[in-house]
């Protein structure tokens, strides 16, 4: 039973890793490999796009390894080293995402991106603090939340590729872009909270817990 759930976890992580590399390639191709898309000068976005993408690399390549239980148990030093690279990379990339999002030309996307970046930063720092305090239950939960936010890289572009099916009811192009921007992090966050927080809370064995109303 355990090996079956481990196989499922590995398959899921491999799928996320492959999707991340594929969409990273497309994002790099879009922004860096075509003339006139990187901004007018070094300090007017060129440097910030480049640093954002570079800092996010340990997230793309490191995060899937961090969730493999056998690797965590057999190589704890490697887990800690990748974890440090993740925290530094994700925090820097999130800060730059906030700046790039606040100044993006699409006004309907600004608040959504700034909130995503803020949550990504917050979840990452809480996960790190929890690991230092050896609170591994909170550490796991906040790492999952942080990675779900980082994967906006994937969710946004999947929603873009399938927008004619997912957002067929939104005809206006700008409205559709904004809807997609919000959906790309709100929906993954709801799914993650259902999985790690809301469902476990209501399914917990009731007989084990005292009733505070009867005290
Ligand atoms: C591992 C995660 C991530 C990677 C590898 C990554 C990578 C990239 C790359 C390569 C670009 C340039 C391509 C483009 O402009 O579309 C970019 C742009 C951008 N990213 Fe990320 N990103 C990640 C996560 C995020 C997250 C979570 C956010 C939201 C908070 C975000 C916000 C942005 C913004 C606002 C831009 C500029 C878009 C524009 O000006 O049109 N990124 N990212």
């Amino acid at each position: 039973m355990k090996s079956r759930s481990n196989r499922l976890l590995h398959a899921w992580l491999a799928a996320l890793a492959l999707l991340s590399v594929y969409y990273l390639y497309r994002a790099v191709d879009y922004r860096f490999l075509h003339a006139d898309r990187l901004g007018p000068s070094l300090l007017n976005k060129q440097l910030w796009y480049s640093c954002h993408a570079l800092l996010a690399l340990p997230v793309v390549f490191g995060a899937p390894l961090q969730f493999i239980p056998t690797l965590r148990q057999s190589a704890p030093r490697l887990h800690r080293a990748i974890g440090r690279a993740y925290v530094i990379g994700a925090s820097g990339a999130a800060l730059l995402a906030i700046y790039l999002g606040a100044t993006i030309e699409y006004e309907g996307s600004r608040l959504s991106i700034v909130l995503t970046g803020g949550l990504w930063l917050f979840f990452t720092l809480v996960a790190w603090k929890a690991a230092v305090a050896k609170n591994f239950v909170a550490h796991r939960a906040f790492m999952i939340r942080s990675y779900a936010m980082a994967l906006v890289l994937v969710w946004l572009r999947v929603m873009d590729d399938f927008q004619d099916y997912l957002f067929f009811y939104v005809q206006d192009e700008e409205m559709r872009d904004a809807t997609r921007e919000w959906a790309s992090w709100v929906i993954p966050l709801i799914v993650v909270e259902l999985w790690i927080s809301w469902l476990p809370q209501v399914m917990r064995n009731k007989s084990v817990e005292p009733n505070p109303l009867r005290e």
Side-chain angles (χ1 to χ4, degrees):
M1 188 71 181
K2 193 158 184 201
S3 72
R4 188 161 171 261
S5 69
N6 262 350
R7 274 204 302 276
L8 259 173
L9 174 71
H10 289 169
W12 178 231
L13 288 172
L16 287 179
L18 286 175
L19 279 172
S20 309
V21 171
Y22 170 65
Y23 282 109
L24 174 62
Y25 161 73
R26 274 185 38 187
V28 169
D29 176 50
Y30 169 78
R31 184 62 63 186
F32 296 93
L33 305 184
H34 292 83
D36 302 328
R37 288 197 183 158
L38 205 49
S41 66
L42 188 67
L43 288 182
N44 192 350
K45 300 228 171 150
Q46 291 179 357
L47 184 64
W48 315 127
Y49 280 131
S50 311
C51 290
H52 169 72
L54 280 174
L55 283 164
L57 289 183
V59 177
V60 171
F61 295 103
L65 299 174
Q66 295 296 80
F67 290 103
I68 299 174
T70 40
L71 200 76
R72 267 199 319 266
Q73 284 142 18
S74 61
R77 280 158 153 256
L78 182 66
H79 179 75
R80 279 199 288 274
I82 298 174
R84 277 189 209 108
Y86 179 101
V87 170
I88 294 167
S91 303
L95 281 170
L96 287 167
I98 292 171
Y99 166 69
L100 290 170
T103 55
I104 202 167
E105 58 191 294
Y106 313 108
E107 292 176 353
S109 301
R110 285 181 186 163
L111 180 63
S112 168
I113 299 174
V114 169
L115 283 176
T116 324
L119 283 173
W120 189 18
L121 181 64
F122 172 70
F123 291 154
T124 305
L125 293 178
V126 174
W128 167 64
K129 287 287 285 176
V132 172
K134 301 203 184 311
N135 179 352
F136 295 113
V137 174
H139 173 60
R140 174 181 173 274
F142 278 92
M143 273 319 299
I144 292 172
R145 291 180 176 115
S146 167
Y147 189 39
M149 290 299 97
L151 284 174
V152 161
L153 168 80
V154 170
W155 315 134
L156 183 68
R157 288 171 176 87
V158 169
M159 289 183 181
D160 193 41
D161 287 345
F162 293 95
Q163 60 173 307
D164 289 341
Y165 304 100
L166 296 172
F167 305 108
F168 63 90
Y169 51 91
V170 189
Q171 300 300 324
D172 182 89
E173 206 177 313
E174 276 185 32
M175 194 68 83
R176 194 183 266 203
D177 283 350
T179 308
R180 204 173 53 229
E181 198 78 60
W182 282 96
S184 72
W185 65 273
V186 171
I187 293 173
L189 192 58
I190 290 174
V191 172
V192 161
E193 291 306 329
L194 260 174
W195 164 44
I196 66 173
S197 174
W198 301 338
L199 287 180
Q201 235 165 45
V202 289
M203 287 163 76
R204 202 176 291 152
N205 188 349
K206 280 173 252 149
S207 60
V208 176
E209 294 196 3
N211 181 350
L213 300 177
R214 290 203 173 169
E215 298 288 299

